[in-house]
Amino acid sequence: MPELPEVETVVRSLAPALVGRTIREAYFPAPRVLRDSPETRAERLSGAVIQAIERIGKNILFRLQDGVLVIHLGMTGKLLLNTTPGPYARAVFTLDQGNLVYDDVRQFGRVEWSRDLPNRLAKLGPEPLDLPFPSFWERLRRRQGRIKPLLLNQAFVRGIGNIYADEALFRAGIHPRTETHRIGRQRAQRLHAAVVEVLRHAIEQRGSSISDYVDALGQKGTFQQSHQVYGREGEPCRVCGQPIRRIVLGQRGTHFCPRCQRG
DNA sequence: ATCTATTCCTGGCTGC
DNA sequence: TGCAGCCAGGAATAGA
């Protein structure tokens, strides 16, 4: 599952190879990834020079002269450099040197061209690694509901997904079902620090490879080895030995330690 | 406006 | 061994 650390790793692995390259041809074997973006046409992309590559939350932005190409990896999306397109290639960009293949088994991802920044990106919350605690606290105080779904809400902060929400809550010692208004300033401070710490650490480890995540060079991340709760149902907590529990919260699998994380 | 449930999609499990 | 049926989940969308 590509979340902020995985997408950041993909961007870092793409940038040296792609900045300055020209897209010669764009081909979409599975137009579903274009969703309802009729303006994303191969003719428009042909001849475009990639000026910069950035990450906004979980989105990858390719800055072109006259617009921007936005790719969201969804659940199983991969951007691969210089490979032969396989059966799940959904978009293929032939470059002046090499190629770039967007591969996505489940087609939850999307590829979208836009002249300006798409509106849905403008609606996203701030980057969690660029959000000082006082702003985080201000935003948190204005919200209702349980804390885990809020962390997943991209309008609250952008880039956190199911893995890092669970991992951050464990590190902060907060039960995922905790009502947001019951989190005081001190616990909020612990949560803010935990989010920053877990994301930074995961980026250093080049992300988590749970099922099939790899970067643009096909390399796996190693942060899954540092997971404290995600994917560890029934295994002993690394802090207290209590078995890790899994519940469904906000329609998402949620992992936590019943002893270390209290409501 | 804000929160919650549903839908999309398919490889890989599980269990009979 | 084979196969039906379920599961994973990001985010757009609809409903409360």
Side-chain angles (χ1 to χ4, degrees):
Chain A
M1 283 145 281
E3 305 179 24
L4 188 154
E6 289 77 28
V7 178
E8 177 67 25
T9 302
V10 169
V11 166
R12 290 182 186 183
S13 61
L14 283 174
L18 288 189
V19 173
R21 295 276 67 77
T22 301
I23 298 173
R24 290 278 181 238
E25 191 185 351
Y27 168 53
F28 303 105
R32 161 159 244 287
V33 298
L34 304 179
R35 295 294 197 284
D36 49 357
S37 299
E39 60 273 21
T40 308
R41 292 197 305 274
E43 313 89 77
R44 180 174 333 261
L45 292 166
S46 177
V49 177
I50 299 169
Q51 298 183 321
I53 304 178
E54 302 162 30
R55 179 186 60 75
I56 294 187
K58 301 174 193 171
N59 299 271
I60 300 167
L61 265 71
F62 296 82
R63 297 263 181 207
L64 312 173
Q65 302 100 308
D66 66 338
V68 56
L69 182 69
V70 181
I71 297 183
H72 192 297
L73 302 176
M75 290 289 299
T76 53
K78 298 176 195 173
L79 276 169
L80 301 168
L81 282 168
N82 307 324
T83 55
T84 306
Y88 306 117
R90 311 304 188 188
V92 179
F93 304 94
T94 305
L95 310 169
D96 54 340
Q97 288 175 33
N99 73 2
L100 176 66
V101 174
Y102 178 66
D103 182 285
D104 187 355
V105 170
R106 290 185 221 178
Q107 303 183 75
F108 274 19
R110 69 153 74 197
V111 175
E112 179 184 16
W113 182 91
S114 176
R115 188 165 299 283
D116 305 302
L117 204 66
N119 195 37
R120 63 188 180 83
L121 294 196
K123 291 178 184 164
L124 295 176
E127 285 286 333
L129 291 180
D130 195 25
L131 179 65
F133 174 70
S135 311
F136 177 79
W137 173 234
E138 267 308 305
R139 298 176 69 77
L140 189 71
R141 289 173 65 186
R142 282 186 260 129
R143 294 299 189 136
Q144 305 270 323
R146 293 160 302 189
I147 186 63
K148 159 119 191 234
L150 181 63
L151 289 178
L152 294 180
N153 184 343
Q154 302 297 297
F156 177 65
V157 286
R158 63 194 194 219
I160 298 177
N162 208 35
I163 296 173
Y164 298 105
D166 283 1
E167 292 297 321
L169 286 168
F170 173 82
R171 283 161 175 79
I174 297 173
H175 193 292
R177 228 170 352 217
T178 307
E179 290 293 327
T180 300
H181 70 268
R182 297 196 55 182
I183 297 177
R185 192 186 169 89
Q186 203 159 20
R187 284 212 296 172
Q189 199 132 30
R190 285 215 305 274
L191 178 56
H192 176 262
V195 165
V196 170
E197 185 193 353
V198 77
L199 293 177
R200 286 210 178 124
H201 192 181
I203 291 170
E204 283 170 18
Q205 299 292 313
R206 307 176 55 81
S208 303
S209 288
I210 295 296
S211 49
D212 51 3
Y213 162 75
V214 290
D215 70 11
L217 307 174
Q219 257 195 307
K220 287 175 180 277
T222 58
F223 192 68
Q224 66 279 5
Q225 295 163 14
S226 302
H227 290 180
Q228 304 292 304
V229 287
Y230 187 88
R232 299 194 64 241
E233 182 186 15
E235 294 174 40
C237 171
R238 294 196 165 117
V239 172
C240 76
Q242 193 82 343
I244 298 302
R245 285 196 54 198
R246 181 184 184 279
I247 58 174
V248 175
L249 183 53
Q251 297 79 239
R252 294 287 170 266
T254 298
H255 313 74
F256 68 100
C257 171
R259 185 177 292 170
C260 297
Q261 294 169 265
R262 310 268 186 185

